[in-house]
Amino acid sequence: VPRGNPAQTRQQLIDAGVRLAHRRALTGLTVDDVVGAAGVAKGTFYLHFRDRAEYFVTLHRRFHDDVMKLVQEAILSAGSAGTQRLLAGSLAYLDGCRRDHPVKALLIEARVEPAIQAEVARQNARFAKRAALEFAAAGWPAAEEAARLWVGLVAEAALAEAESGAVLPGIRDALARFLHT
Amino acid sequence: VPRGNPAQTRQQLIDAGVRLAHRRALTGLTVDDVVGAAGVAKGTFYLHFRDRAEYFVTLHRRFHDDVMKLVQEAILSAGSAGTQRLLAGSLAYLDGCRRDHPVKALLIEARVEPAIQAEVARQNARFAKRAALEFAAAGWPAAEEAARLWVGLVAEAALAEAESGAVLPGIRDALARFLHT
DNA sequence: TGTACATCAGTGAACGCGCGTTCACTGATGTAC
DNA sequence: TGTACATCAGTGAACGCGCGTTCACTGATGTAC
């Protein structure tokens, strides 16, 4: 029984979850799966996370933070507020999702898995709030509502690309067109 | 032990599912819950459905058929192909969802519940195919892709109305605006 | 009309399984003297 | 430098629980003669 490095073990558990979520459903992801893939004992899992739910939240937050960093950069270098900038941010989001993450699981199943519902709802709301500013700047009448729907649109686009495993120019063009761009 | 009417018992089971799905998550809906709410023994459930999955598919198909009847009517009385007609059909869909159905469960969770994933995917594809015709008639370049995103948009709108429990005019206006109508 | 039997919807206790969680234990590493 | 002890990450067998599913049974209803 080697002493081990706690931070590293924790990272192994998270990496294992990400790896597994690439392949299968988040909902069906069990603690046994995770510890099996991470190569640690079951008890170790509970040394690092209070329970399964906390682990899922960690997984999702990790994903979200990574992607949002990209979005932030895109927005900053995209000029003034409006649908152009919104589109730039949204395309950056698609790119971030494509890069190396278990998108399908985290986008769709996240909404169902009770463990992370609250977390996802909060982050979606933040995204929508941000988008609403851009819609308002572009002069859309129902900016808040448009923003909420836009979140659904972008999620659907990310899902489409995740399923095909490639960038889908047609999808991205359609996104732009919905924005009247 | 009364002899009972099979068709009626089956209907009781389905009604119970619909009733329960109004309140809680589909994913967490157990056979015990269903038979409890229906007031029949557990064994009776398996007299009417091969397994839990078949029951879910039945539930979803029922919901889908009901709503699509409304959509069909709206489309027929909406004139020529194009985004106007698409909007009419989509608003009819929202109305159908609102009427008396466990929308949230069936729209979102349906995509995760393995039992009905295939069924939902098939019906979404049909909806999208239909929508693609309208987009094409309206002269949109990437009609197929726009249609796929549109399905996501309408689902998000239905979800928003389901959560608030009311018709949301702002949401519906935004829908129209995304269509350049 | 009465009797014996077949049919059939429904019953509910029991089973098996897999999951999340716990806990008594191991053994390597650090610390005190 | 050596010895005794505390700490601490990690282990994995065991537990409890709830679920989907089964099956031997019940009893009312239909049918044959």
Side-chain angles (χ1 to χ4, degrees), chain B residues 3 6 9 40-41 43-44 47-48:
Chain B
R3 184 66 183 280
T9 304
V40 301
T44 306
L47 227 53
H48 292 277

Side-chain angles (χ1 to χ4, degrees), chain B residues 36-51:
Chain B
V40 301
K42 217 169 172 183
T44 306
F45 181 90
Y46 290 91
L47 227 53
H48 292 277
F49 304 96
R50 188 149 37 85
D51 52 23

Side-chain angles (χ1 to χ4, degrees), chain A residues 20-122:
Chain A
L20 288 171
H22 270 287
R23 282 199 280 280
R24 13 144 122 216
L26 229 190
T27 309
L29 195 66
T30 71
V31 175
D32 275 318
D33 292 337
V34 174
V35 297
V40 301
K42 218 169 172 183
T44 306
F45 181 90
Y46 291 91
L47 226 53
H48 292 277
F49 304 95
R50 187 149 40 84
D51 52 21
R52 188 173 173 271
E54 190 186 292
Y55 174 72
F56 276 12
V57 170
T58 302
L59 221 55
H60 182 266
R61 199 168 284 165
R62 160 86 40 136
F63 163 73
H64 189 262
D65 290 351
D66 281 4
V67 174
M68 279 308 149
K69 212 175 295 167
L70 285 188
V71 172
Q72 204 54 251
E73 284 169 16
I75 286 179
L76 286 179
S77 63
S80 60
T83 49
Q84 287 285 358
R85 195 163 81 178
L86 177 59
L87 185 62
S90 301
L91 294 183
Y93 180 77
L94 293 187
D95 289 333
C97 286
R98 265 191 45 67
R99 227 181 13 171
D100 59 351
H101 289 294
V103 186
K104 189 178 173 190
L106 284 168
L107 281 178
I108 297 300
E109 305 184 28
R111 295 178 108 165
V112 180
E113 184 64 42
I116 35 176
Q117 249 176 11
E119 176 79 9
V120 173
R122 206 176 317 128

Side-chain angles (χ1 to χ4, degrees), chain B residues 106-172:
Chain B
L106 285 167
L107 281 178
I108 297 299
E109 306 184 29
R111 294 178 109 164
V112 179
E113 184 66 41
I116 34 177
Q117 250 178 12
E119 176 79 9
V120 173
R122 205 176 316 128
Q123 283 167 357
N124 272 359
R126 263 182 53 203
F127 192 109
K129 205 169 171 185
R130 185 66 222 253
L133 294 177
E134 310 289 345
F135 276 114
W140 282 50
E144 298 250 341
E145 288 88 345
R148 156 126 206 206
L149 296 182
W150 183 251
V151 171
L153 248 184
V154 174
E156 189 71 32
L159 194 59
E161 292 201 346
E163 277 170 3
S164 87
V167 171
L168 300 174
I171 287 281
R172 298 189 173 206

